């Protein structure tokens, strides 16, 4: 490490300090007093020296972890000041908070880039070409991942996603950046601990307010990160992985119907799955800072984040004990820095519970209350409810061709057991002495303990926690199931023949992303009358269906909004007509979710939207079942019939 690097670090740091100070003061309209200038110069210089010297002291790998973590607070502060300056109070506390949130993280990021540039200064063209050649397959997959999701960038939010988005918009509107309690009050969406979730998605929402594409751009970035992490996990863990094979497996997971189908649906479960994948990546590659940070994101996205952390912890314990039986395994557990960072993330939740006065503020219904209790016949509680358990197991292991992954895992366990028995025979040892070296079997399969731990903990909690049995809660479980199933496929077929079943699985999954083509899904769940095509209801069949989030298991539910927008456009809707629906207790939400929010009708674009401008009119609707003689109606009306609502058009129109 030469003096040249230090000079570059300090010069760059000074530039960052001046830029951050000017940008922040302009955004907040903050007027510096002479004493403020002295304070910021001294404090800024101290931070510059500490961060620069610390960056030279720790390894580049650890510095890269810290730099990755620093991206979030820096992006949050920058987006807030650039896009939301009018909501930021002009006082010293707010200025200081935003300034340090930009300046210190940027110092770490810049120092990491300088160290990295210094370490690769001897790279040749051959090295660069080799890097491109190794990553060309995953590069192609990431391009497909992005292009295949662009069609959802203006998806109208409905049902729970609409409620989350409406509350998120409201939180941004009233958030003043003045205190943590202010942040807490505005961003515990629907009672969940969605603090990290909100912080991440505010970056995009502030850039494109109330247009949904802002939060979906964030979703796109998170999805790309998740697929890349899955690819790297596969490369490290699967026993026969090559860049091409790993890219194929990552491609298959990216088109898991539930993972693909909830991309455009604003909800914490999707983000939770991505953060779980990042935590898994940190565990596989021994990155304690990233592991702890991702666990923190999980915990402050939804309560089930604690379950994911618990499952990963169990997986890490198992990993250590299998690698080092006996006391050595216990000693290695205590030496594992990842566990300490994860523990710190969990301990932080204690301060959250103290702030809100309990474990959680979330409740599915007003009657069920909050907190944790045991009641087999209750709701929003722990218990053994046969109907709920059966439904959750069907969702996890049958829905959307998941039965194929479950079958692969079963076959893989049998195959592994047979191979272990065979390997214990002397004849096998003699004939296969050098085979592992020849075939390149190199995967660290014990790292699958973390995957299995998350899947086991998440599935057990899903079965025992009695709440609305929605499939979209299972995104985390689906991804872990896919990783385990594909690991078994890779283990059983080590040659190029693997591409044949992989291609078949990929084709079926892509079709299932858009249409319900899985025969076992149709057989396991009740059908939904769409007028054309197959669709299923994934909730508990208790005779009282709510056609909301229970229709979300791929992207097929989007036909509802496409048809509604077309219906209103073809009827020349302009806000002066009444919209009347019969039997609308199943969640059509044609005009919004009364009374939480209403959509607006964009007369120019001919579609329903959240935002309002000179081209929009506010929407409302009337439930035809409660029409009264004295009700004031418009001179014209649009009467909407939805097949699965079991409407009798002739009866409703005549009588």
């Amino acid at each position: 490490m030469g003096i040249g690097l230090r000079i570059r670090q300090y010069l760059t740091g000074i530039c960052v300090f001046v830029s951050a100070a000017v940008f922040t003061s302009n955004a907040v309209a903050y007027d510096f007093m002479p004493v403020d200038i002295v304070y910021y110069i001294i404090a800024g210089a101290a931070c510059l020296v500490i961060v620069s010297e610390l960056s030279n002291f720790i390894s580049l790998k650890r510095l890269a972890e810290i730099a990755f973590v620093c991206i979030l607070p820096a992006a949050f502060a920058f987006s807030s000041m650039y896009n939301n300056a009018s909501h930021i109070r002009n006082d010293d506390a707010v200025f200081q908070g935003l300034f340090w949130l930009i300046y210190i993280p940027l110092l770490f990021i810049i120092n990491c880039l300088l160290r990295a540039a210094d370490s690769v200064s001897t790279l040749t063209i051959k090295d660069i070409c080799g890097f491109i050649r190794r990553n060309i397959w995953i590069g192609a997959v990431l391009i497909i991942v992005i292009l295949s999701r662009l069609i959802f960038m203006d998806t109208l939010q409905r049902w729970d996603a609409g409620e989350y988005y409406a509350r998120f918009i409201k939180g941004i509107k009233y958030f003043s950046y003045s205190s943590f309690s202010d942040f807490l009050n505005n961003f515990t969406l629907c009672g969940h601990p969605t603090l990290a979730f909100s912080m991440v998605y505010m970056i995009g929402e502030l850039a494109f307010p109330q247009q949904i594409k802002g939060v979906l751009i964030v979703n796109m970035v998170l999805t790309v990160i998740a697929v890349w992490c899955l690819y790297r996990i596969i490369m490290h863990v699967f026993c026969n992985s090559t860049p091409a094979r790993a890219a194929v497996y990552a491609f298959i997971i990216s088109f898991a119907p539930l993972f693909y189908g909830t991309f455009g649906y604003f909800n914490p479960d999707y983000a939770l799955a991505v953060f779980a994948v990042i935590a898994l990546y940190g565990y596989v590659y021994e990155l304690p800072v990233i592991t702890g940070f991702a666990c923190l994101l999980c915990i402050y996205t939804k309560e089930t984040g604690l379950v994911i952390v618990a499952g990963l912890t169990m997986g890490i314990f198992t990993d250590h004990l299998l690698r080092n039986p006996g006391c050595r395994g216990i000693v290695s557990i205590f030496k594992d820095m990842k566990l300490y960072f994860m523990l710190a993330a969990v301990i932080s939740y204690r301060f959250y519970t103290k702030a809100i006065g309990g474990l959680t503020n979330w409740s599915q219904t007003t009657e069920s209350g909050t907190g944790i209790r045991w009641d087999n016949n209750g709701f929003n509680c722990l218990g053994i409810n046969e109907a709920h358990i059966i439904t959750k197991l069907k969702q996890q292991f049958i829905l959307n061709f998941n039965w194929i992954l479950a079958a692969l895992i079963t076959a893989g366990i049998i195959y592994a057991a047979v191979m272990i028995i065979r390997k214990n025979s002397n004849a096998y040892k003699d004939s296969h002495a050098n085979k592992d070296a020849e075939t390149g079997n190199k995967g660290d399969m014990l790292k699958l303990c973390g995957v299995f731990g998350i899947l086991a903990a998440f599935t057990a909690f899903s079965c025992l926690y009695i709440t609305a049995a929605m499939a979209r809660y299972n995104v985390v479980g689906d991804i872990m199931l896919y990783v385990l199933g594909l690991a078994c496929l890779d283990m059983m077929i080590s040659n190029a023949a693997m591409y044949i079943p992989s291609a078949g699985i990929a084709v079926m999954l892509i079709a299932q992303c858009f249409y319900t083509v899985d025969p076992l899904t149709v057989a396991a769940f009740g059908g939904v009358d769409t007028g054309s095509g197959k669709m299923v209801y994934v909730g508990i069949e208790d005779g009282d269906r709510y056609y909301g989030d229970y229709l979300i298991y791929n992207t097929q539910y989007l036909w509802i909004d496409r048809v509604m927008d077309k219906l209103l456009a073809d009827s020349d809707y302009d806000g002066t007509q009444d919209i009347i629906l019969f039997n609308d207790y199943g969640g059509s939400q044609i005009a919004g979710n009364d009374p939480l929010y209403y959509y607006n009708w964009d007369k120019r674009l001919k579609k329903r939207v959240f935002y309002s401008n000179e081209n929009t009119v506010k929407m409302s609707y009337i439930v035809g079942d409660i029409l009264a003689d004295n009700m004031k109606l418009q001179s014209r009306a649009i009467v909407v019939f939805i097949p699965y609502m079991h409407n009798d058009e002739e009866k409703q129109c005549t009588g």
Side-chain angles (χ1 to χ4, degrees):
M1 186 187 307
I3 188 67
L5 174 61
R6 274 197 168 84
I7 292 175
R8 292 198 303 274
Q9 286 176 320
Y10 282 101
L11 289 177
T12 307
I14 293 170
C15 292
V16 169
F17 173 78
V18 174
S19 300
V22 172
F23 176 75
T24 310
S25 60
N26 287 339
V28 187
Y30 183 71
D31 297 324
F32 284 102
M33 299 294 289
V35 66
D36 296 327
I37 296 175
V38 174
Y39 160 74
Y40 282 108
I41 289 177
I42 294 174
C47 288
L48 174 58
V49 172
I50 293 171
V51 172
S52 297
E53 294 306 317
L54 181 63
S55 299
N56 294 330
F57 175 76
I58 62 178
S59 67
L60 180 57
K61 179 181 177 180
R62 201 67 67 231
L63 181 59
E65 287 187 78
I66 297 172
F68 177 80
V69 170
C70 285
I71 292 173
L72 176 57
F76 171 76
F78 180 83
S79 183
S80 294
M81 288 189 290
Y82 189 79
N83 299 301
N84 205 33
S86 61
H87 282 215
I88 299 175
R89 296 192 327 176
N90 180 15
D91 64 23
D92 186 64
V94 174
F95 174 81
Q96 283 195 50
L98 292 172
F99 172 78
W100 297 120
L101 270 180
I102 286 182
Y103 176 56
I104 295 177
L106 280 181
L107 281 181
F108 277 107
I109 294 170
I110 292 297
N111 275 281
C112 177
L113 293 175
L114 290 173
R115 283 276 307 276
D118 198 58
S119 66
V120 299
S121 58
T122 58
L123 277 180
T124 64
I125 297 297
K126 183 179 179 180
D127 296 327
I128 296 172
C129 291
F131 174 83
I132 295 173
R133 188 167 52 252
R134 288 192 303 273
N135 293 284
I136 191 169
W137 294 106
I138 187 58
V141 168
L142 293 178
I143 291 172
I144 294 172
V145 166
I146 293 170
L147 294 178
S148 66
R149 286 162 170 78
L150 288 177
I151 57 177
F152 305 117
M153 295 305 290
D154 62 346
T155 300
L156 184 69
Q157 302 303 296
R158 58 163 43 250
W159 301 320
D160 282 5
E163 182 170 352
Y164 276 117
Y165 193 53
R167 293 182 186 276
F168 186 51
I169 291 171
K170 184 178 179 182
I172 291 175
K173 179 180 179 181
Y174 292 107
F175 179 47
S176 65
Y177 297 83
S178 58
S179 65
F180 175 74
S181 61
D182 182 35
F183 188 74
L184 185 69
N185 292 334
N186 284 292
F187 294 111
T188 49
L189 307 179
C190 302
H192 294 299
T194 51
L195 303 181
F197 171 82
S198 299
M199 188 175 183
V200 170
Y201 282 88
M202 273 182 71
I203 297 168
E205 177 61 21
L206 291 175
F208 302 96
Q210 301 182 32
Q211 298 177 55
I212 198 59
K213 63 182 176 183
V215 296
L216 293 185
I217 288 172
V218 174
N219 253 8
M220 185 73 82
V221 173
L222 292 178
T223 303
V224 169
I225 292 173
V227 174
W228 170 259
C229 287
L230 286 166
Y231 166 76
R232 296 292 299 160
I233 290 169
I234 292 166
M235 283 292 294
H236 188 89
V237 173
F238 285 22
C239 56
N240 296 302
S241 60
T242 63
R245 289 171 72 107
V248 169
Y249 295 139
F251 174 83
I252 290 173
I253 299 174
S254 74
F255 280 97
L258 190 61
F259 184 42
Y260 184 79
T262 51
F263 168 81
Y265 195 77
F266 183 67
N267 69 97
D269 300 288
Y270 188 90
L272 184 65
V274 173
F275 300 148
V277 169
I278 297 173
L280 194 63
Y281 173 83
Y283 152 64
V284 167
Y285 282 93
E286 300 296 332
L287 304 171
V289 178
I290 287 179
T291 305
F293 176 65
C295 288
L296 191 73
L297 294 178
C298 287
I299 291 170
Y300 291 105
T301 291
K302 204 173 183 182
E303 292 84 353
T304 41
L306 289 167
V307 178
I308 291 170
V309 175
L312 181 57
T313 302
M314 290 189 298
I316 294 174
F317 281 10
T318 305
D319 183 357
H320 281 294
L321 295 174
L322 290 175
R323 290 179 194 275
N324 306 288
C327 293
R328 288 187 301 132
I330 297 174
V331 171
S332 66
I333 288 173
F334 281 98
K335 288 182 177 180
D336 193 335
M337 288 302 298
K338 298 188 300 296
L339 292 171
Y340 292 100
F341 279 88
M342 294 168 67
L343 179 63
V346 173
I347 290 174
S348 74
Y349 195 76
R350 176 67 184 89
F351 297 99
Y352 171 79
T353 58
K354 186 175 181 180
I356 65 172
L359 186 63
T360 177
N361 277 338
W362 178 79
S363 174
Q364 187 76 35
T365 64
T366 305
E367 295 79 14
S368 61
T370 61
I372 298 294
R373 69 185 195 285
W374 187 277
D375 183 354
N376 293 341
N377 299 311
F379 197 72
N380 193 35
C381 61
L382 291 168
I384 299 176
N385 183 299
E386 183 179 350
H388 179 79
I389 292 172
I390 291 173
T391 300
K392 293 307 296 183
L393 290 176
K394 287 195 301 182
Q395 290 174 357
Q396 188 62 78
F397 298 107
I398 296 178
L399 182 66
N400 290 330
F401 289 112
N402 281 6
W403 55 271
I404 293 179
L405 284 307
L408 285 173
I409 294 171
T410 303
I413 293 172
I414 296 172
Y415 175 86
V418 171
M419 293 303 294
I420 289 172
I421 294 172
R422 288 184 62 194
K423 283 184 177 181
N424 288 331
S425 67
N426 292 329
Y428 182 91
K429 291 176 182 178
D430 294 339
S431 62
H432 290 71
N434 298 314
K435 187 173 181 181
D436 280 351
E438 294 170 0
T439 57
N441 291 345
K442 60 184 182 304
D444 187 359
M445 294 283 282
L446 280 180
K447 289 293 186 181
L448 289 176
C449 290
V451 181
F452 181 80
I454 293 174
L455 177 61
F458 192 82
T459 303
F461 182 82
S462 297
C463 289
L464 293 176
Y465 191 78
I466 306 169
T467 186
M470 297 177 185
R472 70 166 175 82
Y473 292 160
N474 297 5
V475 184
V476 173
D478 273 25
I479 291 177
M480 301 304 150
L481 184 72
Y482 272 70
V483 173
L484 288 174
L486 294 174
C488 291
L489 174 64
D490 185 75
M491 175 181 63
M492 292 184 290
I493 308 177
S494 60
N495 55 28
M498 174 278 307
Y499 292 107
I500 297 174
S502 296
I505 292 171
V507 169
M508 289 188 289
L509 292 179
I510 292 172
Q512 182 71 16
C513 283
F514 301 96
Y515 302 100
T516 305
V517 297
D518 176 15
L520 289 192
T521 291
V522 174
F525 298 93
V528 173
D529 183 8
T530 65
S532 63
K534 295 178 181 178
M535 193 172 183
V536 298
Y537 178 85
V538 299
I540 298 174
E541 291 287 7
D542 56 3
D544 185 20
R545 286 185 174 186
Y546 173 75
Y547 291 101
D549 286 61
Y550 295 106
L551 298 181
I552 296 176
Y553 56 93
N554 58 8
T555 64
Q556 200 170 352
Y557 76 95
L558 293 174
W559 72 267
I560 300 170
D561 288 311
R562 289 195 294 266
V563 169
M564 286 181 175
D565 282 347
K566 186 176 187 304
L567 179 152
L568 294 172
D570 291 347
S571 302
D572 295 323
Y573 178 72
D574 59 7
T576 62
Q577 305 99 315
D578 286 320
I579 300 174
I580 301 175
L581 294 99
F582 290 92
N583 244 5
D584 189 42
Y585 304 105
S588 71
Q589 297 191 4
I590 190 171
N593 188 0
D594 180 35
L596 182 60
Y597 64 87
Y598 284 99
Y599 297 137
N600 295 310
W601 177 255
D602 192 313
K603 293 182 289 185
R604 183 175 63 87
L605 298 178
K606 301 292 184 182
K607 66 177 185 179
R608 292 162 301 146
V609 296
F610 263 90
Y611 60 79
S612 60
N613 58 32
E614 66 277 4
N615 297 314
T616 62
V617 292
K618 192 169 184 178
M619 300 181 67
S620 63
Y621 72 101
I622 299 170
V623 178
D625 307 56
I626 58 174
L627 280 173
D629 292 336
N630 61 347
M631 185 175 290
K632 185 178 180 180
L633 301 174
Q634 302 289 344
S635 59
R636 295 185 300 157
I638 300 171
V639 183
V640 181
F641 298 95
I642 301 175
Y644 59 71
M645 297 292 192
H646 307 296
N647 297 142
D648 186 332
E649 296 185 34
E650 183 177 350
K651 177 183 176 181
Q652 302 292 359
C653 288
T654 59

